[in-house]
Amino acid sequence: MDNFIAARSQMGMSLAFHIVFATIGVSLPLMMTIAEWRWRSTGDPAYLVLAKRWAKGTTILFAVGAISGTVLSFELGLLWPRFMQYAGAVIGMPFSLEGFAFFTEAIFLGIYLYGWNRVPGWFHLLSGIIVAISGILSAIFVTLVNGWMNTPTGFEIVAGKFENIHPFVAMSNPAGIPEAIHMVLAAYTAAGFATAGIHGWLLLRRGRNRFDEVAIGIALLVGGAAVLLQSVSGDALARMVAAKQPMKLASLEGQFQTETGAPFRIGGLPFPDERETKFAIEIPHGLSLLSFHSPNALIKGLDQEPESDWPNVRMVHICFQIMVGCGSLLSLFAVAAGWLSWKKRSLINHPRFLKALVFVSPLGFVALEAGWMVTELGRQPWIIYHLMRTKDAVTSMPNVTITFLAMTAVYVILGTIVVWLLSRHLIAAPEGKQLAHQGVL
């Protein structure tokens, strides 16, 4: 492969791995804090064991996320030097603020880990809350950079350079906040359902036990609430894309022709050469209604731009369908689980429910990865939308393929180690003494 494809492949691979580590690292502190709060409210030692287990997991993923995030920072400069040369002054502020959030998280995570029985209970719980908030802020600041790449603002271009830069205006770009909210909710959805599914599988294997039961309860609460809120977030994000990135919207839906009252497509396969999306179930006026809340709104098609400026329409459309399909299934499952709980039926006592939970548990991460592919591939061929093409930002350094293959091997090894560590420190069945009221690990 040439340097351009190798550089894109390496960046995509690094992001695909990092997003898994970062997502769980953002979500676990919230579940950890809820578990401690429940222990302090009820005195149930299972919650205490769970809080300490999830604290260990947070530490592992914090370290791995820091490493993989640092690698991404270097890759931005090494693989895309022209991008950083022109845009570094604009996007430097959110990266700096992300650093402050990272350090805050590290400080209070240390207090949380080593503060058991050493600091007042209220302060220990507060430190967990700060860890959770800091993780959210880190994700938000990084996502604001991606939002700026999609809807660049906060500068003027003078003689081909960015001048009169306003960092806070750049951070408040139209895509930034909708993307950030969508990303945080996606993180909670993916990690919540995955955690609940793992403990559901363990419950089926180990039989009823309090440790897995309370873990499923907290994880499913977090994941279920997040996925139901995603519908509101997704609506806001779709309307932003329709207004600011109409060609991305056209790619999402395989909309080749400009049309009023455009249909919403479920499934289907775009054929760019024929300018048609076939085999789709079409809901009349659905896309216009969802994008502009008007059934007869005008939807710009891909015919509005030359084909050289189109993204990979087929890939973007397929990834979008995967994301929406997985999110819809998880939403239906969350509604069903909520209804059963409202009817005061024990979810844990139903093997069918647990098997269904195990089945849907990976879908959050599938949707998360597909969603990021939609975001990144849908912006192509631009690294900065309508300002700089991706191919113009790539490094001229030779042999990028070698670094791509080497980094892929490193991430595979790192991922294997992380899975082993999490299995040893998070999901292993607690011993009887660990459920004693002393809470000794």
Side-chain angles (χ1 to χ4, degrees):
M1 63 180 70
D2 61 26
N3 269 9
F4 177 55
I5 299 299
R8 287 188 65 187
S9 300
Q10 181 173 334
M11 197 74 185
M13 178 273 302
S14 299
L15 280 168
F17 272 90
H18 174 74
I19 200 170
V20 174
F21 303 144
T23 292
I24 306 175
V26 166
S27 306
L28 269 185
L30 174 62
M31 295 191 286
M32 166 190 83
T33 306
I34 293 174
E36 182 184 350
W37 169 70
R38 290 293 295 156
W39 169 64
R40 295 189 184 278
S41 301
T42 66
D44 187 336
Y47 286 112
L48 177 59
V49 173
L50 191 60
K52 292 187 175 183
R53 290 284 185 89
W54 280 342
K56 289 183 178 180
T58 299
T59 306
I60 294 168
L61 290 160
F62 179 82
V64 175
I67 294 169
S68 57
T70 302
V71 169
L72 281 169
S73 299
F74 278 107
E75 286 179 342
L76 276 175
L78 295 174
L79 297 178
W80 313 102
R82 294 178 180 84
F83 167 72
M84 293 303 294
Q85 176 185 355
Y86 286 100
V90 185
I91 63 176
M93 178 66 76
F95 278 134
S96 299
L97 293 174
E98 193 272 340
F100 281 110
F102 176 84
F103 288 130
T104 302
E105 184 178 4
I107 291 168
F108 282 92
L109 181 58
I111 294 173
Y112 192 90
L113 287 173
Y114 298 104
W116 292 100
N117 302 320
R118 294 183 177 88
V119 298
W122 66 268
F123 185 75
H124 190 269
L125 185 60
L126 177 63
S127 67
I129 295 172
I130 294 174
V131 171
I133 293 174
S134 299
I136 293 172
L137 291 176
S138 293
I140 288 174
F141 289 134
V142 171
T143 309
L144 290 179
V145 175
N146 184 268
W148 180 85
M149 295 165 70
N150 284 292
T151 55
T153 55
F155 60 89
E156 296 178 8
I157 297 180
V158 180
K161 296 182 180 180
F162 292 112
E163 301 288 351
N164 300 322
I165 295 169
H166 302 282
F168 289 104
V169 175
M171 287 175 59
S172 59
N173 65 83
I177 295 301
E179 275 193 29
I181 294 173
H182 203 65
M183 176 61 209
V184 171
L185 290 175
Y188 287 144
T189 299
F193 273 97
T195 303
I198 290 170
H199 284 279
W201 177 71
L202 292 171
L203 197 64
L204 289 170
R205 289 188 60 194
R206 301 196 285 223
R208 286 201 61 176
N209 65 88
R210 186 63 178 158
F211 176 70
D212 290 324
E213 288 178 5
V214 298
I216 292 172
I218 294 174
L220 200 54
L221 174 65
V222 171
V227 76
L228 294 177
L229 289 172
Q230 276 290 42
S231 59
V232 179
S233 169
D235 176 69
L237 189 56
R239 287 189 286 120
M240 183 283 300
V241 170
K244 300 297 182 180
Q245 293 181 288
M247 292 306 100
K248 179 184 283 188
L249 178 69
S251 299
L252 299 180
E253 283 296 318
Q255 184 72 31
F256 290 96
Q257 307 299 325
T258 300
E259 184 179 359
T260 57
F264 179 78
R265 295 177 177 85
I266 301 175
L269 193 64
F271 290 84
D273 292 339
E274 302 177 33
R275 305 296 196 268
E276 185 180 0
T277 298
K278 301 179 180 180
F279 318 119
I281 299 172
E282 295 189 353
I283 300 176
H285 303 275
L287 183 58
S288 294
L289 184 62
L290 290 173
S291 300
F292 295 101
H293 291 182
S294 171
N296 296 312
L298 177 70
I299 299 296
K300 293 181 180 179
L302 289 160
D303 58 356
Q304 296 293 304
E305 289 196 8
E307 190 170 352
S308 59
D309 289 347
W310 292 5
N312 186 325
V313 180
R314 180 172 291 183
M315 182 64 71
V316 173
H317 178 76
I318 291 173
C319 289
F320 179 69
Q321 295 296 315
I322 291 172
M323 179 189 71
V324 173
C326 290
S328 299
L329 285 174
L330 291 175
S331 296
L332 289 174
F333 187 89
V335 170
W339 183 81
L340 289 173
S341 297
W342 181 66
K343 288 291 186 178
K344 301 186 184 301
R345 299 179 183 178
S346 176
L347 305 179
I348 307 301
N349 291 330
H350 295 280
R352 288 184 180 178
F353 173 83
L354 293 176
K355 290 177 181 178
L357 175 60
V358 173
F359 174 78
V360 303
S361 61
L363 297 183
F365 278 106
V366 174
L368 183 71
E369 295 283 8
W372 267 107
M373 291 183 71
V374 167
T375 300
E376 298 304 291
L377 294 178
R379 189 181 62 244
Q380 299 304 319
W382 309 96
I383 192 169
I384 307 175
Y385 194 61
H386 281 172
L387 291 178
M388 177 180 285
R389 291 181 181 270
T390 308
K391 67 179 182 180
D392 295 330
V394 72
T395 181
S396 58
M397 181 185 70
N399 300 321
V400 177
T401 302
I402 296 175
T403 64
F404 164 54
L405 295 175
M407 290 305 300
T408 300
V410 169
Y411 272 111
V412 169
I413 295 171
L414 183 61
T416 303
I417 293 172
V418 170
V419 170
W420 177 76
L421 286 172
L422 293 179
S423 66
R424 288 289 302 273
H425 293 283
L426 263 72
I427 64 176
E431 299 175 4
K433 65 178 183 180
Q434 291 179 316
L435 293 178
H437 283 279
Q438 291 84 357
V440 177
L441 292 178

